[in-house]
Every structure is written in structure tokens, then in C-alpha cells.
Amino acid sequence: MSGHGRARRWAVVVALLAVLAALPAVVGALPADDADLSAPDLRDAVLASAGVGFSGYAVSAGGLSLPVSDQLPAVADLLSDRATMRVWWRGPDEHRVDVVSAAGETGVHVDPAGTWSWEYESATARRSDPAALALPAPPDLVPAALGRRLLSEATDDELTRIGARRVTGRDALGLRLVPAAPAASVARVDVWADAATGLPLAVEVVADGAAVPALGTRFLDLDLGAPPAAVVAFTPPAGARVLPGEDTGGLLREAADRELSPVRLPAELAGLPRREVAGAPATVGLYGSGVTLLAVAPLPGRLAAGLRSTLAAAPDAVRDGSSTRIAAGPLGLVLVEPPRSGAYLLVGTVTLDALAHAAGALTGAPS
């Protein structure tokens, strides 16, 4: 009898776990109350939610499969894997995000003076100053931050309402952004915002021609209200190894300082106007607006050589004269190596045709 009793108890445990695992889907299927709010008004409510404090759990899933893991391993992991995030958010310049992913566990603590990154496995703390040139980091994938970023430059005619649904037990109003730029490789961005506060609760980015999101992030649990400052703040513990943060703009500045390429960046590329980036070298260009952006940067020879071989090994790489280009979901990359000059990397949410046109404009080759 005891064996049968144990079996029944385990059966009960398994059944309970199955019910708990299904709860988010069940709650999400419950009907949500929509609101009579226009798309532009909902966008404005989302952008006004920057001061809303909260804490909770979120999960992000990326399918970009960037073939640049040797050069940018943290970015490749962040945009191609599933990550669970524990978030404490007091504001855009004061928050903490602990991330558990295939790469390990890392805590990111942001304060007005910079960022602490704490790697649990190696007991290593890194301190970084604010920078004009920065690679994507875990806080950028928090639904609230990503939703505001993607909607920050959306025009009224790019927006439509898409009803409402339940996210983490709250009524979430749907807003769809369809980029107007012909060069856009993003088909749509769907943002689901809390009806009461405008806080984005879930975000999905779908590439042109794709059926599933290339990038998605959503809250699993959310408590509104600013967390205590002591929870967000960070001081390296005794015995920790303390290092300077990785300088994400260092290679770009090195390329600019050494004038590795005489290519003069035009005022427009692929039909996208150049925009000003405070603090960026003159040889680094950013084009476009909203979710349709193209960045151009010179590369030192050692980085260009490694990137060339990595891109060329990708199964869908396209080699065209002095350039090699690939696409990873809505993200396109092209390495341009004009004759008798240094290399340039073009990366952005634009189509491969737009990348080819931009590469041709830089090298003077027909596109």
C-alpha cells in the first residue's frame, strides 16, 4: 500500500505542477476590458510611463542567431536566447536587472553615474560610465523599457489599435506599429500596455515575411510601486574582483582616431537621413528613425578580419564585390571593404536590398 500511496502523492505533485505551469496561459486567455483610447493617445500614455516604478519577473526570447559570437558574445546571447529577468525599477536611470540565461547569471545595476555589472559565477564586478555608443544590455529588453524605446519616434499614421488582452493578470491595451520607411525590415511591433498606467507589459517584434516574432519580451509577474533604493544599489562585496567595464565604443573611437577609412559618410543612406549622435565620432553614422535604423562604423583591421570570416561562414551570406552581408531576422549586417581603405560595418533594421544600396553608396559601386 505504501508504494501505491507514494505513487498517488507523486501523481498529485505532477498534476499541481502542470496546473501551475498552465496558469499564465489560462490567465492570459481571460477576457480583457478594452478602453476607448486612440492609438496616438495610447502611445502618449506609454511614453509618459517612464516614471512608473515597479518590480517583477519578465522573460525575453530572441531568435536572431547572430553569427558574431566571437566578437560580441554577450549581445549574441542576449538577442538569440531565452532569458529570465528579475527586475527592480525605480526609474530609467536607477534600476536593477538580474538575468539568468544560458550564459550564466548576471546582475546589472544602473545609477545616474553609470552601471555596475555583477557576474555571480566569477564574482566579478565591472563599472561602466554612461556612453553615447553602447551595445544592447539586459535592461533594454525589459518590456517597459523596450516598449517605450520602440514607440518613442512612432508617427500617428504608423499606429493602430489591436484590442486588449490580459498580461500578468492586468488589462493590457494593444498598439501596433507598422514602419512607414520603405527600407524597413520590421513588419510590425506589437506593444501591450497596462490600461491603468500605460506601462508596456509585453512587446513583440516581427520581421518582414516572418510568422513568429524575432524578439519578444513580457512580464510574468508585476508589482507596481518603486522598490527600495537599497535593493537597486550595488557595492562590490568583499573579495570580489573589480574591473573597468567593457568599453563598447572603444573600437569605434580607435578606428576614428586612426582614420582607418577615408570614406566620407553621406547625408543619406538607403533613403534614410543621417541623424546626430551626441558624443559619437564623426566617422560613425546613424541613419533613420523609430524602428528603422542603420548604423555605420569603421572597424580596425583585426576586428574586420575576424568578422569577415564569421560572416562568410554563415549559410545565407551574400558576397557582392567588396561587401559581405547577412540577415538575422529583421537585423541586417554588411561588412564593406572598399579598395585601398579601411573596413566599415553597416548594421540595422533594414532590408538586405537597402544594405546593398548603402554599401554601394559608400564604395562608389553600383547598387
Side-chain angles (χ1 to χ4, degrees), residues 60 62 103 137 156-157 311 327-328:
S60 69
D156 291 0
D157 59 351
L311 294 180

Side-chain angles (χ1 to χ4, degrees), residues 5-245:
R6 285 195 297 271
R8 283 194 296 271
R9 286 194 294 272
W10 278 113
V12 171
V13 170
V14 171
L16 286 173
L17 288 175
V19 170
L20 289 174
L23 276 178
V26 171
V27 171
L30 294 175
D33 291 332
D34 203 347
D36 185 17
L37 196 65
S38 70
D41 287 343
L42 182 54
R43 173 205 54 207
D44 294 345
V46 167
L47 299 183
S49 71
V52 176
F54 59 87
S55 57
Y57 286 96
V59 61
S60 69
L64 299 187
S65 300
L66 292 173
V68 290
S69 56
D70 289 342
Q71 288 80 21
L72 305 171
V75 176
D77 290 340
L78 187 66
L79 298 180
S80 62
D81 288 340
R82 182 181 178 89
T84 301
M85 299 177 282
R86 181 74 170 100
V87 184
W88 296 265
W89 199 277
R90 291 175 56 84
D93 60 354
E94 190 179 6
H95 52 264
R96 169 185 172 185
V97 180
D98 288 356
V99 180
V100 180
S101 69
E105 185 172 357
T106 302
V108 179
H109 302 250
V110 175
D111 58 62
T115 301
W116 281 106
S117 178
W118 170 242
E119 300 172 4
Y120 290 87
E121 286 78 13
S122 63
T124 301
R126 297 179 182 273
R127 180 63 172 176
S128 301
D129 295 330
L133 302 171
L135 296 173
D140 297 321
L141 291 187
V142 172
L146 183 61
R148 283 193 295 267
R149 163 65 188 86
L150 295 178
L151 293 176
S152 62
E153 296 180 330
T155 60
D156 291 0
D157 59 351
E158 293 178 313
L159 300 172
T160 56
R161 286 294 318 278
I162 51 173
R165 73 180 191 187
R166 300 280 288 180
V167 180
T168 188
R170 306 180 69 86
D171 290 336
L173 309 182
L175 183 61
R176 175 163 293 174
L177 163 62
V178 176
S185 58
V186 172
R188 69 179 187 273
V189 175
D190 291 344
V191 177
W192 302 89
D194 179 37
T197 64
L199 193 75
L201 304 179
V203 180
E204 293 182 349
V205 180
V206 180
D208 190 28
V212 297
L215 180 64
T217 179
R218 62 187 176 92
F219 283 110
L220 301 178
D221 178 70
L222 181 69
D223 292 320
L224 294 177
V231 175
V232 174
F234 179 79
T235 300
R241 184 172 56 158
V242 180
L243 302 174

